[in-house]
Amino acid sequence: MARLLLPTLVCFAFVSLISCNSRNLPAIGTKFEPPAQDEATYISYDNGKVARAYVQTISGIDYVVGINHVVTRKVVYLHTEDPDFETSEGFSLATTYLDLMNATGEKLKLDEGWGWYLTLPSGWSACFPLQDDQRQTPDLKEKVTWFCQKDF
């Protein structure tokens, strides 16, 4: 019985790992090979720039991976709005602008036509949408809307 149980457990663990997306999150500037079954959409990731975007679930977190070109497949943008995502600093979508200011001593920067952001030591940027008046910073109580990595 014990001899049968161990191979069964090993096989179950292997199948579980394969059925979850165990891929690593690609880094900005690296080549990305999307799975053949994934369909791309497009995402605006910078003022006037558009990337082919693929949704990838990695370790239970949904990410959008933006690539610059079908041929080179260079990663130019990473994005998540997943409520379970947390940066290595402990920030999440529950983090407010005030929380960020208190923790980092920094204020948001404006990427005109795109949004407000604060880049963290982890490389992730906490992002907020533009207001009606694009020069108006978000309210201190406003929560992070998304996290991204891109070359600002």
Side-chain angles (χ1 to χ4, degrees):
M1 176 79 167
R3 289 192 320 205
L4 287 176
L5 184 58
L6 184 58
T8 302
L9 289 174
V10 170
C11 182
F12 177 76
F14 180 76
V15 170
S16 295
L17 282 173
I18 296 301
S19 62
C20 297
N21 188 340
S22 58
R23 298 173 66 160
N24 290 327
L25 188 62
I28 299 294
T30 61
K31 189 171 182 175
F32 176 69
E33 294 290 342
Q37 72 273 14
D38 282 359
E39 291 187 27
T41 57
Y42 292 89
I43 189 166
S44 174
Y45 71 96
D46 204 351
N47 194 5
K49 294 181 182 175
V50 177
R52 289 180 68 91
Y54 297 87
V55 175
Q56 298 288 288
T57 302
I58 301 169
S59 299
I61 305 292
D62 290 333
Y63 296 92
V64 173
V65 178
I67 62 172
N68 66 342
H69 192 272
V70 186
V71 176
T72 60
R73 296 187 190 108
K74 179 181 160 191
V75 176
V76 293
Y77 183 69
L78 298 170
H79 172 113
T80 185
E81 295 176 40
D82 195 302
D84 294 328
F85 176 80
E86 190 173 284
T87 67
S88 59
E89 297 90 356
F91 299 122
S92 70
L93 295 180
T95 303
T96 65
Y97 175 26
L98 182 60
D99 295 335
L100 288 168
M101 278 185 29
N102 288 338
T104 66
E106 300 287 326
K107 291 185 178 181
L108 295 177
K109 295 177 184 167
L110 175 63
D111 189 353
E112 289 196 40
W114 187 77
W116 292 91
Y117 70 95
L118 192 148
T119 301
L120 305 167
S122 62
W124 286 100
S125 292
C127 303
F128 299 82
L130 294 172
Q131 309 300 309
D132 290 335
D133 173 2
Q134 292 192 15
R135 294 251 172 229
Q136 179 184 346
T137 57
D139 184 83
L140 291 174
K141 295 178 185 174
E142 188 169 342
K143 293 180 180 177
V144 173
T145 306
W146 73 94
F147 287 93
C148 78
Q149 290 184 8
K150 72 175 190 164
D151 189 13
F152 282 99

